[in-house]
Amino acid sequence: MNTSAINTAIEAMVSPFLNENGFELVDIEYIKEGSNWFLRIFVDKEGGIDIDECVRISEYVSEQLDTHEPIAGAYFLEVSSPGVERPLKKPKDVQKSIGKNVFVTTYEPVDGMKEFEGQLIAFDGEELTVRVGKKEHTVPYAKVASARLAIIF
């Protein structure tokens, strides 16, 4: 099974439990680092998630993985919060982040730039507007390579 299929299978497996318990699935990573494979599941909820909740989710996910075995071979399971610079993977994540500081990269230059760090002013599903300094940049959502919340010092 390829990485995308594994992520899809894991999402289908854990989403009902997470939704029933008030958690949001932020991201899933199944990646190789050195000689080891890691399955990382990033979960959040309104007000943040604590270590005891991560343990509870990890135990549930571990049971499901043992039962359904979507991954062949050994791997390390990690369940955690996405952190303060959480990725904005879905349009709803971007929408919820209006007014917050973000870091956006694009596949190709927009206004001569490929990186935008500033305040997310607007998002209409097609374009997002980021204020960098005193200038506003309108970025087509289709050109966004990655987006995350940002702490700007």
Side-chain angles (χ1 to χ4, degrees), residues 88-90 103-116 126 128 138-147:
L88 306 175
K89 294 284 195 168
K90 302 170 188 154
F103 180 73
V104 176
T105 62
T106 57
Y107 293 113
E108 57 188 59
V110 174
D111 294 340
M113 301 167 40
K114 289 180 74 175
E115 294 183 350
F116 302 85
E126 299 291 322
L128 50 102
T138 300
V139 179
Y141 188 63
K143 292 186 179 183
V144 172
S146 69

Side-chain angles (χ1 to χ4, degrees), residues 3 6-8 13-14 21 25 29-30 39 48 60 66 75 88 93-94 96 101 105 112 122 125 132 143 145-146 153:
T3 302
I6 288 171
N7 288 356
T8 300
M13 186 184 311
V14 303
N21 289 282
L25 177 61
E29 290 180 352
Y30 181 60
L39 174 60
Y60 173 82
D66 288 346
Y75 57 91
L88 306 175
D93 298 332
V94 177
K96 288 186 341 188
N101 292 323
T105 62
V132 179
K143 292 186 179 183
S146 69
F153 296 97

Side-chain angles (χ1 to χ4, degrees), residues 24-119:
E24 173 193 2
L25 177 61
V26 175
D27 197 12
I28 298 172
E29 290 180 352
Y30 181 60
I31 59 172
K32 188 171 187 178
E33 293 180 0
S35 61
N36 296 315
W37 282 92
F38 290 85
L39 174 60
R40 293 188 177 116
I41 301 175
F42 298 95
V43 181
D44 208 357
K45 72 172 188 177
E46 193 67 36
I49 190 167
D50 65 31
I51 190 73
D52 292 333
E53 291 166 322
C54 286
V55 168
R56 182 172 151 223
I57 295 165
S58 180
E59 288 171 351
Y60 173 82
V61 171
S62 184
E63 285 177 15
Q64 293 301 304
L65 292 169
D66 288 346
T67 301
H68 299 287
E69 298 182 352
I71 301 172
Y75 57 91
F76 293 95
L77 171 63
E78 297 176 357
V79 174
S80 69
S81 159
V84 293
E85 291 191 335
R86 76 176 278 171
L88 306 175
K89 294 284 195 168
K90 302 170 188 154
K92 70 176 182 133
D93 298 332
V94 177
Q95 187 68 44
K96 288 186 341 188
S97 299
I98 292 173
K100 297 180 181 176
N101 292 323
V102 296
F103 180 73
V104 176
T105 62
T106 57
Y107 293 113
E108 57 188 59
V110 174
D111 294 340
M113 301 167 40
K114 289 180 74 175
E115 294 183 350
F116 302 85
E117 186 169 39
Q119 185 179 27

